[in-house]
Amino acid sequence: MKDFVRSLFQKYKQKGILIDTNILLLLFVSTVNRERISKFNRTEKFVPEDYDTLLC
């Protein structure tokens, strides 16, 4: 999976990249406090395991 994502970055890096802000918020909220994932309005649909997957 990492190789696939890396190849996409290489392919499209000159054109820019689209970032899902909900996933970016998941990263920020989880870094501060994993318990807030399900309590924060825009990240309540995620679970702590999603954060673990994001870090892989």
Side-chain angles (χ1 to χ4, degrees):
M1 182 68 163
K2 287 182 184 180
D3 293 331
F4 174 70
V5 173
R6 198 168 289 143
S7 69
L8 286 176
F9 282 139
Q10 290 296 321
K11 183 176 179 181
Y12 294 107
K13 71 180 179 181
Q14 297 298 322
K15 297 178 183 180
I17 188 167
L18 179 66
I19 298 175
D20 183 338
T21 56
N22 286 333
I23 294 176
L24 187 59
L25 278 173
L26 171 65
L27 178 64
F28 292 153
V29 170
S30 302
T31 300
V32 173
N33 184 351
R34 284 175 64 107
E35 301 301 318
R36 295 274 304 162
I37 294 172
S38 61
K39 296 176 179 127
F40 189 70
N41 186 30
R42 298 218 10 227
T43 59
E44 66 187 359
K45 61 185 169 191
F46 295 108
V47 294
E49 290 77 20
D50 294 326
Y51 174 67
D52 297 335
T53 303
L54 183 60
L55 293 180
C56 290

